[in-house]
Amino acid sequence: MTRVIIVRHGQSSYNAERRIQGRTDASKLTEKGRNDASKVGKALSNISFQAIYCSPLQRAKLTAEIIQSELANTQESAAVQTSDKLLEIDLPLWETMLTADVEQKFAEDYRIWHENPDQLVMQIQDAEGTREHFPVLALYEQARQFWQDILPQHQGQTILIVGHNGINRALISTALGIPPSRYHSIQQSNCGVTVLNFAGGLGEPVQLESMNQTQHMGEALPSLRPGHQGVRLLLVRHGETEWNRQTRFQGQIDVPLNDNGRNQAQKAGEFLKDVAIDFAVSSSMQRPKETAEIILRQHPSIQLDLQDGLREISHGLWEGKLEKEIEQEFPGELHRWRTVPAEVQMPEGENLQQVWERSVAAWQSIVQTALDNQLTTGLVVAHDATNKTLLCHILGLTAENFWNFRQGNGAVSVIDYPNGLDGFPVLQAMNITAHLGGGVLDKTAAGAL
């Protein structure tokens, strides 16, 4: 496994001014940006990196150098290396302009940028005449080339990448297969931390372990985007059960939380205690219901709504069995479940399409009800397979991408609907487990589903 930790640069002068940066190098780190870079370095200080890559633009390069200065275990050979393939998205007609001025002067292009970013085209004048430039498509190709260059050099190593909002989104998207049309569906906060685990090269299995963690800077959850009007959902996986610990398949057998699971739920509750939660929904099964009830001790006025559509996948005849028992009784099926999950029909149970249909219907209903009642922030507690299926739906992926996402027991993911159900949702953060004591890495015993 190759572990890649991706960080966005600290707050810059142009960020503070709400100015388009692109590839201009006039934007400098602010004092907050430098302080946050130092906090990232401290949060990563117990991880040994074999290589550090950054964009050559000064706001990213200085962030990388500050982080490196805080790293205790990193090999001396891991000097900061710059790569032009980590440059920010190229927006030559907009660079240095205030966002508000771009919105006014390039109204139609700005609308396309937000609604269909892959279709944005700029007419660029250069020495050879006029050429068409598709900023988002070019950025995704740049990200693919970076992965193809870098991954073969670092098999089985841990590397750090310090880039920008745009290129980081493109790196995550090309690794997971998220289309350029969903460019705005993932967010990268200044000094946010993302963890990707690659089995090999680009196109081989990859897992998004976590995305856009901001807790090391004292921000429990990423801040809402400016002008946000919609719904925010906090998607939580239930705490640990004894069967999780034993890696025994539970499915729809109603196994309760163990003591560690109750402790995880309590820590999740403390983590979310200052969040103004308006409503709460849980799978009707015992382990998520108990997790939600423990979290809601911090929010005693909130009633918990139970929904069957959020129940865990029915593993049918696999339920109650350990992996080795399943392998003996159903030879080869576990391998298929791990490699082509969307093609597996659980014996006397469900397939992922069935889980998708009922869980997405429940999820859409939750969002619509919140919009109808002008509620802004909701807690949703469910299961590993349910959550992974919902994450595929949120990012425009298929059930084939099921294993691309990690969901630790007691982990929190943040999904915003800034434009209701008509617009694309935004995955603001995924699989936050810092409140469970493992730092930026997920140390929960995820166990079988």
Side-chain angles (χ1 to χ4, degrees), residues 255-329:
V255 183
L257 298 181
N258 62 16
D259 286 345
N260 186 46
R262 283 186 280 274
N263 185 44
Q264 289 170 331
Q266 188 176 334
K267 286 179 174 175
E270 289 164 6
F271 177 63
L272 298 172
K273 72 177 190 295
D274 295 327
V275 178
I277 292 172
D278 301 313
F279 63 98
V281 183
S282 165
S283 153
S284 53
M285 297 184 69
Q286 191 175 344
R287 52 195 187 268
K289 178 175 177 282
E290 189 179 357
T291 301
E293 287 168 348
I294 292 170
I295 292 171
L296 291 175
R297 288 175 189 166
Q298 305 283 351
H299 306 270
S301 64
I302 302 298
Q303 293 289 311
L304 181 62
D305 177 31
L306 302 180
Q307 294 214 9
D308 288 341
L310 296 176
R311 291 163 73 88
E312 183 55 299
I313 184 172
S314 168
H315 282 298
L317 298 179
W318 290 17
E319 292 185 357
K321 292 181 166 59
L322 295 169
E323 291 184 1
K324 62 175 185 281
E325 295 169 332
I326 293 169
E327 186 54 48
Q328 283 169 356
E329 290 183 49

Side-chain angles (χ1 to χ4, degrees), residues 227-260:
H228 173 90
Q229 297 290 320
V231 176
R232 166 167 282 193
L233 295 181
L234 308 174
L235 180 62
V236 177
R237 183 185 176 197
H238 64 77
E240 185 185 85
T241 69
E242 213 46 49
W243 282 20
N244 285 147
R245 186 169 284 276
Q246 296 166 11
T247 68
R248 193 180 292 278
F249 279 72
Q250 340 186 71
Q252 294 190 357
I253 293 179
D254 219 358
V255 183
L257 298 181
N258 62 16
D259 286 345
N260 186 46

Side-chain angles (χ1 to χ4, degrees), residues 68-267:
Q68 193 216 28
S69 72
E70 299 282 358
L71 299 177
N73 301 330
T74 292
Q75 300 166 3
E76 288 181 24
S77 60
V80 175
Q81 303 174 63
T82 60
S83 168
D84 285 351
K85 292 189 175 69
L86 293 175
L87 281 164
E88 180 56 308
I89 188 168
D90 191 16
L91 297 166
L93 302 186
W94 296 358
E95 273 177 14
T96 75
M97 292 178 66
L98 292 170
T99 304
D101 292 344
V102 172
E103 195 172 354
Q104 190 173 16
K105 186 176 177 183
F106 298 94
E108 179 58 14
D109 282 348
Y110 194 75
R111 183 192 64 76
I112 293 169
W113 164 249
H114 273 286
E115 294 178 12
N116 305 101
D118 54 318
Q119 295 175 23
L120 176 68
V121 59
M122 292 183 170
Q123 305 294 330
I124 308 298
Q125 305 280 347
D126 58 24
E128 294 162 19
T130 304
R131 63 181 173 87
E132 284 192 335
H133 169 56
F134 288 84
V136 173
L137 297 183
L139 187 71
Y140 275 56
E141 183 52 37
Q142 175 187 314
R144 273 189 287 272
Q145 288 176 7
F146 178 81
W147 287 133
Q148 286 162 354
D149 290 351
I150 295 303
L151 288 173
Q153 298 177 38
H154 298 288
Q155 290 297 302
Q157 297 183 352
T158 299
I159 66 172
L160 175 65
I161 294 169
V162 181
H164 307 264
N165 190 358
I167 185 60
N168 288 6
R169 291 193 219 177
L171 288 169
I172 296 163
S173 296
T174 51
L176 299 173
I178 300 167
S181 60
R182 304 299 286 261
Y183 174 73
H184 295 299
S185 288
I186 54 178
Q187 182 60 329
Q188 293 285 284
S189 302
N190 290 117
C191 282
V193 173
T194 295
V195 183
L196 277 168
N197 299 314
F198 290 87
L202 192 63
E204 293 183 66
V206 58
Q207 178 198 62
L208 184 62
E209 179 176 312
S210 63
M211 194 195 82
N212 205 31
Q213 298 184 66
T214 56
Q215 299 71 46
H216 48 280
M217 295 177 290
E219 296 173 21
L221 307 176
S223 56
L224 291 165
R225 288 181 171 183
H228 173 90
Q229 297 290 320
V231 176
R232 166 167 282 193
L233 295 181
L234 308 174
L235 180 62
V236 177
R237 183 185 176 197
H238 64 77
E240 185 185 85
T241 69
E242 213 46 49
W243 282 20
N244 285 147
R245 186 169 284 276
Q246 296 166 11
T247 68
R248 193 180 292 278
F249 279 72
Q250 340 186 71
Q252 294 190 357
I253 293 179
D254 219 358
V255 183
L257 298 181
N258 62 16
D259 286 345
N260 186 46
R262 283 186 280 274
N263 185 44
Q264 289 170 331
Q266 188 176 334
K267 286 179 174 175

Side-chain angles (χ1 to χ4, degrees), residues 213 408-412 431-444:
Q213 298 184 66
N409 291 115
V412 179
N431 203 40
I432 300 167
T433 57
H435 52 285
L436 304 174
V440 299
L441 302 178
D442 181 350
K443 300 286 179 60
T444 61

